[in-house]
Amino acid sequence: MRSPTLPAASESVVEATVLPRLIRIGPNLCVAAFTLMKLLPARFMLDRAEQRGELTPDTTVLETSSGTFALGLAMVCRLRGYPLVIVGDPAIDPALRRRLGELGARVEICTEPSPNGGFQQARLDRLEEMRARYPDHYVPGQYHNPDNPNAYAAVAEQLAETVGAVDCLVGPVGSGGSTGGTAAFLRLLQPRMRLIGVDTSPSTIFGQADGPRVVRGLGNSLVPPNVSHDAYDEVHWAGAAEVFRATRELHARHALYMGPTSGASFLVARWYAERNPDAQVVAFLPDEGHRYQETVYQDEWLAERGLLGTPTAAAPRTVTDPRDAVGGWARMRWRRRSLDDALRHAGLPGTGAPGEER
């Protein structure tokens, strides 16, 4: 009996883990589970910068991030030999900071928020200072660089070849790259495919006022230019209690040990798939849960925040105004409108030009 042909060894951990594992967890629900989703745009952006001649061996990579994009960049820069400086804030937990340091990244922490735009604006201001300090530098700029959404052509191709027709794509919205980019490429084949974006409250991305947030990895204080609001058919704001419970259920029921952004995506995708049994649904799970072992996966941490055993909604309430979505789990039919159009339809003033953030 002939042995099966094994795939060749990958050249690096980045190449081995840059694309997600596609796993069917329900009759019409498939998840795209990433080890670290931000590896994909980090690698793609540096590839394009090298091709354009913007990166040389002496170029310092500068970026503002307090989460997984920093880690993705650090991994790629370490393997390619580029010095990296990350401008972050106190949201960078000690474990992540240690990992970044071990990968050779220098981390600058902004300790005070900006009066307008909070820590995200403070980081942008510090980044401008860093530009002057490092004349030979490259800034990937995940929140405005079109290479971010363009990186997800590879995921769209993977889904088309493996899953086939996707009727609904669900994913958390941060920079707008993963959901907007993947949907843009999939819609070349399926123009009517639905896209559901998942956020939390309070967050400015889909028209709320900024405020403190419990769920890490969701919500922003400024609107990233890479968010194509007119790509979304529906938006959900997931509450902390629902998100953390869904994150734990994803592990307990499906052995998928993921972070809270993945739990938020799973929460919404499962709800949609159950109500649309004839639709093939795909949910993005952006990163694994190891960073959250002492938080989301600890009953004591949840209890301290009044989130252990808290009653959770079985379904979202429907709103027509983003302001009414604050608190708990809510959804709004976005109908592929621009942010200004959606806000005006809700009787709110437009936003003007979007800002940049982490």
Side-chain angles (χ1 to χ4, degrees):
M1 184 175 179
R2 297 179 62 184
S3 300
T5 301
L6 298 177
S10 298
E11 294 296 323
S12 72
V13 66
V14 173
E15 302 306 317
T17 59
V18 71
L19 289 176
R21 295 151 292 168
L22 302 181
I23 306 163
R24 187 165 297 283
I25 63 171
N28 64 324
L29 177 56
C30 181
V31 297
F34 290 84
T35 300
L36 185 67
M37 175 186 275
K38 295 297 186 178
L39 269 178
L40 178 61
R43 184 194 67 170
F44 190 83
M45 288 186 211
L46 295 190
D47 284 347
R48 294 298 174 267
E50 288 173 347
Q51 292 168 5
R52 293 189 295 261
E54 297 172 3
L55 271 174
T56 67
D58 297 324
T59 301
T60 298
V61 178
L62 306 176
E63 183 62 296
T64 167
S65 172
S66 63
T68 54
F69 189 64
L71 182 56
L73 272 180
M75 293 172 67
V76 179
C77 285
R78 167 55 81 187
L79 293 174
R80 298 189 184 186
Y82 296 116
L84 171 66
V85 179
I86 294 294
V87 179
D89 61 45
I92 296 184
D93 56 80
L96 176 57
R97 189 165 182 175
R98 285 194 297 272
R99 286 195 69 182
L100 293 173
E102 288 175 356
L103 288 167
R106 176 183 168 189
V107 181
E108 293 261 341
I109 297 293
C110 296
T111 58
E112 295 294 332
S114 171
N116 297 308
F119 277 112
Q120 292 165 343
Q121 186 60 53
R123 294 202 310 262
L124 287 169
D125 294 341
R126 178 74 65 85
L127 182 64
E128 288 306 310
E129 297 173 4
M130 302 300 291
R131 287 175 183 265
R133 195 181 305 176
Y134 296 91
D136 184 6
H137 68 263
Y138 169 71
V139 178
Q142 66 161 328
Y143 288 89
H144 63 266
N145 188 342
D147 286 339
N148 179 3
N150 288 342
Y152 290 90
V155 178
E157 181 179 7
Q158 181 190 22
L159 288 172
E161 291 181 351
T162 305
V163 178
V166 177
D167 299 301
C168 180
L169 179 65
V170 181
V173 183
S175 69
S178 59
T179 50
T182 306
F185 290 106
L186 285 177
R187 282 174 174 165
L188 296 175
L189 300 173
Q190 301 167 252
R192 298 181 65 181
M193 186 199 76
R194 291 182 62 79
L195 177 62
I196 299 179
V198 184
D199 199 3
T200 192
S201 296
S203 168
T204 64
I205 297 179
F206 291 100
Q208 297 178 348
D210 188 28
R213 295 175 288 272
V214 178
V215 181
R216 290 281 304 276
L218 283 178
N220 286 308
S221 298
L222 297 171
V223 182
N226 263 341
V227 176
S228 299
H229 292 87
D230 57 4
Y232 298 91
D233 297 281
E234 191 170 313
V235 173
H236 286 237
W237 292 269
E242 286 81 12
V243 168
F244 296 150
R245 179 174 179 178
T247 304
R248 299 280 290 264
E249 288 180 351
L250 189 58
H251 183 224
R253 295 187 180 185
H254 302 289
L256 283 162
Y257 193 60
M258 310 300 292
T261 55
S262 299
S265 182
F266 168 61
L267 171 76
V268 174
R270 177 179 57 182
W271 173 83
Y272 185 88
E274 288 174 351
R275 283 150 185 79
N276 297 274
D278 295 329
Q280 175 60 63
V281 182
V282 172
F284 277 161
L285 309 184
D287 68 336
E288 295 181 333
H290 305 291
R291 289 180 61 203
Y292 308 97
Q293 293 181 54
E294 303 303 320
T295 55
V296 178
Y297 288 96
Q298 284 287 345
D299 288 351
E300 295 80 5
W301 185 88
L302 294 174
E304 288 172 0
R305 287 151 183 80
L307 295 169
L308 184 65
T310 301
T312 56
R317 65 186 190 279
T318 300
V319 301
T320 58
D321 183 331
R323 296 174 298 183
D324 296 334
V326 177
W329 178 14
R331 65 186 277 262
M332 179 174 170
R333 296 182 178 91
W334 199 261
R335 299 189 176 95
R336 302 195 189 187
R337 293 173 291 187
S338 70
L339 180 57
D340 280 350
D341 283 347
L343 295 182
R344 281 194 291 265
H345 190 267
L348 299 171
T351 62
E356 287 182 74
E357 57 88 48
R358 78 177 184 196

